[in-house]
Amino acid sequence: MSSHRKQDSGAKKRKLVEIKKERAKELLQKTPKLTNLWSSQPAVAATSSQDATDGQQPATASSSQLTSPTSPASNSATATTSEETTRDGEEPVGNVADEPVDSEAVEKIDISTDIACWGEVNEEMRSYWVGRGIEAPTQCQHKDADFSASERSYKNQKRCLSKTLFRRSLRNGEKVAREWLSYSPSTGNVFCFFCKLFSNDSSAFTHGFSDWKHSVDRVEMHEAGQPHRQAVLTWLARTQVRGIDAGLQDQLKDEANYWKEVLRRIVAVIKFLSERGLAFRGENETLGSVHNGNYLGILELLATFDPFLDEHLKRFGNKGRGTPSYLSSNI
């Protein structure tokens, strides 16, 4: 028996090749063309071919036609929505309640201490003065200012604001300050600080009072009135609102301010050494040692003139690991 494997004839090989070609051709015909996904492209191609045949310049489809195969229905819906949001030339308005409130914005506002320059009082202005604490009314008093702008003529005489109006006498003879009374250097009038911010009643002390002939009676009448008392109570309620964690918040604030002061001094020493290219560390990191390096040495020098830094070095110096002090090489 022959050990050679029987091979196909040349005619059979050619027939197999033809069969493979036919199958590949059928598969290619069944596969959908990519251009069929865009209905606008065949029309553009046909138009280009027609124009090219007539010797004209082929028209170029816009980028919106080629890259945005949206249906007329979706375009109609988009146009309707756009028309509704911009009807009568109005811009779309978002939900104001959902907009975040910047808590630092109030601190950045700068409002004049002259009440006559305030204009319309809004909640933003109220929050500003409440945020300045119980000392805010005295910042608007101007009781030591020049009262020449308050001069008013009364027939044969002239009168002006008296400094004694800023104090009142109690029945027991004690005199107390009228912190609510504020003088406006620009108009020469006096205002009620509390009523200007929180009272809904219109009076001479919310628009500016300057009747110096009857000033004592009018001032006493105003501070005894119910609208003024209600405005004062509103001011006290808003300035004295403190949560159950108020003590903890004060402690955290004091702690943060303490370490800010520490870092302010330490950064100054670091900048000094870095600008001069001097070494920071020495043979050891022990306060009181003459070999503790430039960094600790300069801090010890500054501490002799700075009570705050001296107290810090005494509290946290040479404490070892586990005690943050910003004095060692490892923080």
Side-chain angles (χ1 to χ4, degrees), residues 23 50 66 68 78 118 144 170 178 228 245 305 312 319:
R23 290 179 178 175
Q50 181 74 20
L66 295 177
S68 303
T78 304
W118 284 4
D144 295 324
L170 301 179
R178 285 191 173 104
H228 174 77
D245 60 343
F305 306 98
H312 179 73
K319 292 292 184 179

Side-chain angles (χ1 to χ4, degrees), residues 18-250:
E18 291 296 332
I19 293 174
K20 290 181 179 181
K21 288 182 179 180
E22 288 294 333
R23 290 179 178 175
K25 186 177 180 180
E26 292 177 0
L27 181 62
L28 184 62
Q29 290 177 351
K30 293 180 180 180
T31 303
K33 293 183 179 181
L34 186 62
T35 55
N36 293 338
L37 299 177
W38 289 273
S39 59
S40 59
Q41 284 193 355
V44 174
T47 305
S48 301
S49 176
Q50 181 74 20
D51 294 342
T53 306
D54 297 341
Q56 298 178 355
Q57 191 72 13
T60 303
S62 63
S63 60
S64 61
Q65 292 176 334
L66 295 177
T67 59
S68 303
T70 55
S71 62
S74 63
N75 290 335
S76 177
T78 304
T80 303
T81 305
S82 177
E83 182 180 358
E84 291 177 354
T85 54
T86 59
R87 185 179 294 129
D88 299 332
E90 297 180 355
E91 296 183 357
V93 180
N95 189 354
V96 178
D98 295 337
E99 295 181 1
V101 178
D102 188 0
S103 59
E104 297 181 357
V106 175
E107 298 179 0
K108 296 179 181 179
I109 300 174
D110 186 15
I111 299 177
S112 174
T113 57
D114 189 340
I115 294 185
C117 299
W118 284 4
E120 183 179 358
V121 177
N122 51 30
E123 185 59 31
E124 188 178 38
M125 183 179 294
R126 295 188 186 99
S127 299
Y128 172 82
W129 288 111
V130 169
R132 299 186 73 88
I134 59 176
E135 299 296 331
T138 59
Q139 298 174 11
C140 300
Q141 277 199 304
H142 303 288
K143 61 182 181 180
D144 295 324
D146 182 12
F147 295 152
S148 58
S150 68
E151 186 176 282
R152 302 291 186 268
S153 298
Y154 293 88
K155 293 184 179 181
N156 298 329
Q157 60 179 344
K158 293 182 179 180
R159 295 175 182 267
C160 63
L161 174 64
S162 174
K163 196 172 182 180
T164 58
L165 201 62
F166 289 91
R167 299 181 68 85
R168 71 167 182 156
S169 299
L170 301 179
R171 293 182 178 181
N172 59 2
E174 182 184 358
K175 291 186 177 183
V176 295
R178 285 191 173 104
E179 295 182 351
W180 59 268
L181 191 64
S182 300
Y183 172 69
S184 169
S186 61
T187 62
N189 299 332
V190 292
F191 295 81
C192 176
F193 179 85
F194 302 129
C195 292
K196 184 70 174 178
L197 287 177
F198 300 107
S199 178
N200 295 325
D201 294 349
S202 178
S203 68
F205 289 92
T206 58
H207 298 286
F209 175 81
S210 60
D211 184 7
W212 312 128
K213 188 175 182 180
H214 309 94
S215 59
V216 177
D217 295 336
R218 293 290 301 276
V219 166
E220 292 179 352
M221 185 184 303
H222 174 78
E223 63 186 355
Q226 182 62 27
H228 174 77
R229 293 184 177 184
Q230 185 61 42
V232 174
L233 291 176
T234 304
W235 165 262
L236 294 175
R238 294 192 59 169
T239 53
Q240 295 179 2
V241 172
R242 294 171 63 84
I244 58 176
D245 60 343
L248 180 60
Q249 291 179 2
D250 293 341

Side-chain angles (χ1 to χ4, degrees), residues 10 13 25 34 36 47 52 68 246 261 263-264 266 280 299:
K13 290 180 179 180
K25 186 177 180 180
L34 186 62
N36 293 338
T47 305
S68 303
E261 291 298 319
L263 289 176
R264 193 166 63 89
I266 288 177
F280 280 66
L299 287 176

